[in-house]
Every structure is written in C-alpha cells, then in structure tokens.
Amino acid sequence: MGRGPGATAPSPRDVPGGLARRVLLPTALLWAAVVGVGFLLAEVPENGVNERLVELRIPALDTVTAFVSGSASTMVVIATALVVAALVWWTSRQWWLATVPLVALALEAAVFLTSSAVVGRDRPDVDQLDHAPPTSSFPSGHTGASTAVYVSFALLATRIRHGALRVTVIVVCALMPVAVALSRVYRGMHHPTDVVAGLAVGATCALIAWTWMPDGARASSDAQAPRGVETDLTRR
C-alpha cells in the first residue's frame, strides 16, 4: 500500500460533491430498497428453517457460533474497523483509503437502524441462544456490519502486492460475513432472508465507501498498486 510519487489527497472542494453523489444518493436508494423488501417479507413465515436448525444444535456448534456471532457485535466490529483504518493510514498515508471501513460501517449502521425501525419484523419464534437487541429482525445488523467492514478489508487487500498474502486476506474477509450470517440463523436470532439482506446491505455500503472519493484521488491511489513487489505493510 505504498504511497508512491503520484498519490495525492482529494481536494477539499471535491469532497462535498463526492459525498453527495457517491455516498448520500446511493445510500438513500439502498435504504428505500431495503424498506421495500422488508415490508414484502415482514409477514412471510420462515420459522421452518429455524426450527430445523434448533433440532440440529449440538454443544460444539453452539460454542463456535457464539464466538463467530460475538465477533460481529457492535464494539468488536467498531474496534476492528478502527484498528484496520489506523494500519492502512500508517502504511499508506492515504487517509481517503483509511476511512473506507469506517465510512462503510457508518453507512450500514444508518441504513440498518432506520430501516429495521420502519419494517419492524418479528424475530424467529424459536429458542434464541443470544440476547435479542431492541432492533427488529430485518435486516440482520450483525451480518450487515460484519459484511461492511470485511468487504471493505477485502477491497483494501486488493492493493497488497504480495500475491499469496493478498489472496489469503481476501478469502478470509469474504468468508467471515458468511460465517456470521449462518451463525445468526443457527442461533435463532434471524430468519434466512434477514441475513441475506444484511449481506446485501453490508456489501453495498462497502462498495459505496470504496468509490466515494473523487475520480482524481481514486486514480492516483489505484496507480500505486502495480509498483514494486511488496506493500509497506509486508515490509514492516
């Protein structure tokens, strides 16, 4: 993630326009789509899948899913995003890249909290292994938050020049949200469509955050990826 001679920060005058066109507008459209789908699914019965998973519960899976679900809790996700953002800034000195996970998480939180309040879908009518937060079931906040940050990490990882490390990081980051989604359904906290919506919301927020910067700054950042053999991260 080296800076390179062509890396330049976005011009301050370009930031408001970039935020309005590339962040606020697509996020508003995403919110409308989530609410619309949520109303369509609000009364759709899905307890059959959750009831079947209750029958398949075993102590080992209970333990694993508790850990995976806990890794997507609010404080853990925020802390993880802050650490990665700090690491990206330290290795690249490109603040507009370092903010990608934070912007993605903030957008996901805004969409999730407001849309879940509007839709108000009940959680599955099964024995739940976690304490149910006050938000409704649709979309899955744990799944959405983990997807937003880990897809952001995967996008940032595309700039790692060490091939094996790049592929490993991307694969791990892609699998983590799926593990969270499966864990939330297994633990009776969400319907299957809740976590699918969470995956979609989180991934969309990550893409919005990735493309928020003005074209000139994004081009100068992307131009650095092919240069050299290793990133600053792999050298330190």
Side-chain angles (χ1 to χ4, degrees):
M1 295 182 187
R3 281 180 288 178
T8 58
S11 169
R13 67 175 179 271
D14 292 333
V15 171
L19 289 175
R21 293 191 305 273
R22 297 191 175 95
V23 176
L24 298 182
L25 178 58
T27 301
L29 294 175
L30 172 63
W31 182 89
V34 171
V35 170
V37 173
F39 281 139
L40 292 176
L41 295 174
E43 303 301 327
V44 175
E46 291 188 70
N47 283 328
V49 174
N50 296 94
E51 291 170 354
R52 178 57 179 159
L53 288 174
V54 169
E55 297 172 359
L56 297 176
R57 287 176 181 171
I58 58 175
L61 283 177
D62 292 352
T63 301
V64 171
T65 57
F67 174 80
V68 174
S69 181
S71 71
S73 65
T74 301
M75 296 309 298
V76 174
V77 169
I78 292 175
T80 304
L82 287 171
V83 169
V84 172
L87 182 61
V88 171
W89 180 85
W90 179 59
T91 58
S92 71
R93 294 300 189 269
Q94 296 178 6
W95 63 264
W96 55 98
L97 285 179
T99 60
V100 168
L102 304 179
V103 172
L105 184 57
L107 295 178
E108 186 280 332
V111 172
F112 158 66
L113 290 173
T114 54
S115 63
S116 64
V118 172
V119 174
R121 189 184 197 186
D122 292 333
R123 294 185 182 273
D125 187 19
V126 297
D127 182 30
Q128 298 169 357
L129 297 181
D130 293 331
H131 173 71
T135 53
S136 65
S137 190
F138 183 93
S140 169
H142 280 66
T143 305
S146 64
T147 305
V149 294
Y150 281 101
V151 171
S152 296
F153 298 163
L155 291 169
L156 290 169
T158 61
R159 296 170 52 83
I160 297 176
R161 295 167 190 149
H162 189 286
L165 177 60
R166 179 175 64 252
V167 172
T168 299
V169 173
I170 291 174
V171 170
V172 171
C173 290
L175 291 177
M176 189 62 187
V178 177
V180 171
L182 294 175
S183 296
R184 297 300 285 171
V185 177
Y186 173 89
R187 299 182 68 77
M189 305 310 298
H190 289 285
H191 304 283
T193 52
D194 298 336
V195 298
V196 171
L199 290 168
V201 169
T204 303
C205 290
L207 291 173
I208 292 172
W210 179 248
T211 59
W212 82 265
M213 71 185 79
D215 293 332
R218 186 164 61 249
S220 66
S221 297
D222 293 343
Q224 309 315 311
R227 299 180 182 179
V229 177
E230 298 176 318
T231 66
D232 289 348
L233 178 61
T234 59
R235 288 200 297 265
R236 297 191 180 192

